[in-house]
Amino acid sequence: MEKYELQKLRELPIEGVAERLGLRVKMHKALCPFHDDHHASLSFKVSKNTFRCFVCGASGGPIDLVMRYLNKDFLDACRWLADKHNVILEEGVRRQETGVWRQETGVWRQETGVWSQERLRVGERSSGMSGVWRNVTFDASRYERFFERPWLNDEARRFLFEERRLDPRVVRWCRLTSWKDKQGVPWLQIPYYDREGRLIGVQNRNLVKDAMPRFRFPQGSQCCIYNLPVLNLLKPGEALFIAEGCSDCWSLLSAGHKAIAIPSATLLKRKDADQLSTLHSQFSTTFQMFPDRDEPGERLFLQLQQLLPNLVHHQLPPGCKDFSDYYLSKCAPK
């Protein structure tokens, strides 16, 4: 795992991570889970993205909190964070048979599919031979055929139609398909298309309950705003809903709304923000949202409201943590 990937995880809001773990955070404090606590001695410092208990001394950042709370080693804690927050871990630096590429100074950034170099010299292999940095791009041609005639195995049908009770027309529209790996593990395969219908990324969701990893992404996948082709069906003045994650988007579509989705409450990319701002200027529509009933969900709403001044907030009823819960309780066919 590279430094820039670890930085993604270390920048996840500490209070949001705590709430994903099941802690109840109020006024930047929570009951410490690491000792018999009755007075909320676990404190969160948002400015430094850290936690500290002033009784037992437990402290650290998001990765440390997951390691200690779930009793995981460093790598497993990173995988848990990536899965729960839909953080895509990619390899910008590739290992070679003859050695390892080495980054000297500076950072890499990706712009329009091309790695650009800032204050970096060309990488060198351990053998001393000169080389160039390699970028792993998404090869859509390898995956397009899987979505031309989607096929759902028993596990996928159970998940989509029995557990989530989605409208079959929505499943067909989103071109969801399924497969099993060499170990027999069933996966749901979710395509991401741009507005013109070009495949730009794929998300694989593990259908085994509580399995890790929960998500996998082919190298180079651009899983940005989900369900962009629906914009081509949007009528002037029609409401467009913004969901957090694909599952809520499917539920909104099944409930009869037009919807797009941000991959995660903690993963609003600059590219996504720019695209939403463009949509706001192009469409005479109201943007609407059912934020998840947690701190990250409300934070995402506030971020989006800065980009979309007319964004309407819908409050979920008590007992519903997200729109999928609300859909199952009120909207889904019995």
Side-chain angles (χ1 to χ4, degrees):
M1 190 176 298
E2 299 300 323
K3 289 183 179 179
Y4 79 95
E5 294 179 316
L6 289 176
Q7 192 62 28
K8 286 183 185 179
L9 303 180
R10 288 174 175 144
E11 290 175 353
L12 292 172
I14 187 68
E15 292 184 348
V17 172
E19 290 182 331
R20 291 285 170 102
L21 288 168
L23 302 181
R24 297 185 63 182
V25 181
K26 187 176 182 180
M27 301 296 290
H28 308 302
K29 291 183 177 294
L31 291 174
C32 180
F34 309 122
H35 73 278
D36 188 17
D37 190 15
H38 301 280
H39 301 288
S41 57
L42 190 69
S43 179
F44 299 95
K45 193 163 187 176
V46 177
S47 61
K48 293 187 176 181
N49 210 37
T50 58
F51 73 94
R52 180 178 180 82
C53 177
F54 294 97
V55 176
C56 69
S59 63
I63 299 175
D64 304 291
L65 182 61
V66 173
M67 288 176 63
R68 185 152 187 171
Y69 188 87
L70 298 179
N71 194 29
K72 292 181 177 291
D73 62 24
F74 181 82
L75 186 56
D76 283 344
C78 289
R79 288 170 177 161
W80 186 92
L81 278 169
D83 284 340
K84 293 297 182 181
H85 294 81
N86 287 359
V87 175
I88 301 175
L89 301 181
E90 299 175 306
E91 289 186 0
V93 180
R94 303 292 297 160
R95 293 186 176 272
Q96 306 294 319
E97 292 181 358
T98 55
V100 180
W101 293 97
R102 184 171 70 250
Q103 179 177 339
E104 297 298 329
T105 58
V107 294
W108 286 92
R109 68 185 181 190
Q110 189 175 20
E111 296 179 345
T112 62
V114 180
W115 289 98
S116 63
Q117 188 176 13
E118 295 181 344
R119 301 184 307 279
L120 284 172
R121 65 184 177 85
V122 176
E124 295 177 351
R125 285 191 282 240
S126 58
S127 62
M129 298 174 62
S130 62
V132 294
W133 291 90
R134 292 180 58 192
N135 175 33
V136 180
T137 57
F138 177 67
D139 184 4
S141 63
R142 292 184 56 190
Y143 300 94
E144 287 172 334
R145 59 190 177 89
F146 299 129
F147 305 109
E148 292 175 357
R149 295 182 180 179
W151 173 79
L152 298 175
N153 56 33
D154 291 341
E155 293 84 356
R157 296 185 66 84
R158 188 179 306 115
F159 173 74
L160 296 170
F161 301 129
E162 295 180 21
E163 294 181 24
R164 297 303 176 103
R165 288 188 274 172
L166 300 177
D167 189 323
R169 293 171 296 178
V170 169
V171 174
R172 289 194 296 269
W173 163 261
C174 295
R175 302 188 195 179
L176 304 180
T177 189
S178 59
W179 61 287
K180 289 187 178 181
D181 61 24
K182 293 180 180 179
Q183 289 72 42
V185 176
W187 294 82
L188 184 67
Q189 201 161 40
I190 306 163
Y192 280 66
Y193 295 96
D194 64 14
R195 190 171 171 181
E196 288 69 39
R198 293 185 294 259
L199 184 66
I200 58 174
V202 173
Q203 179 183 19
N204 294 298
R205 177 176 182 140
N206 197 319
L207 292 176
V208 177
K209 189 175 181 180
D210 299 327
M212 298 289 284
R214 190 160 57 113
F215 297 107
R216 283 181 180 173
F217 302 87
Q219 290 180 342
S221 286
Q222 299 179 47
C223 296
C224 304
I225 297 178
Y226 178 69
N227 197 35
L228 285 173
V230 78
L231 299 177
N232 300 322
L233 305 179
L234 199 64
K235 300 175 182 178
E238 190 174 13
L240 178 66
F241 282 78
I242 301 177
E244 178 191 339
C246 298
S247 295
D248 277 4
C249 187
W250 300 332
S251 296
L252 281 162
L253 293 169
S254 295
H257 304 294
K258 289 186 172 67
I260 57 176
I262 304 297
S264 169
T266 54
L267 201 64
L268 181 61
K269 299 178 181 179
R270 181 70 256 175
K271 181 179 178 181
D272 297 342
D274 291 342
Q275 193 160 17
L276 288 171
S277 296
T278 301
L279 293 179
H280 178 254
S281 62
Q282 288 180 342
F283 291 93
S284 57
T285 184
T286 58
F287 295 87
Q288 308 198 31
M289 186 176 183
F290 285 87
D292 287 4
R293 288 182 65 92
D294 56 18
E295 194 272 339
E298 290 296 333
R299 188 189 303 118
L300 176 62
F301 172 81
L302 293 175
Q303 285 181 284
L304 293 174
Q305 195 175 44
Q306 294 178 2
L307 304 170
L308 310 169
N310 66 346
L311 180 62
V312 178
H313 184 289
H314 295 277
Q315 185 68 49
L316 289 167
C320 296
K321 63 181 178 61
D322 54 28
F323 188 82
S324 292
D325 276 358
Y326 178 68
Y327 171 77
L328 289 172
S329 64
K330 299 292 183 181
C331 308
K334 303 299 182 183

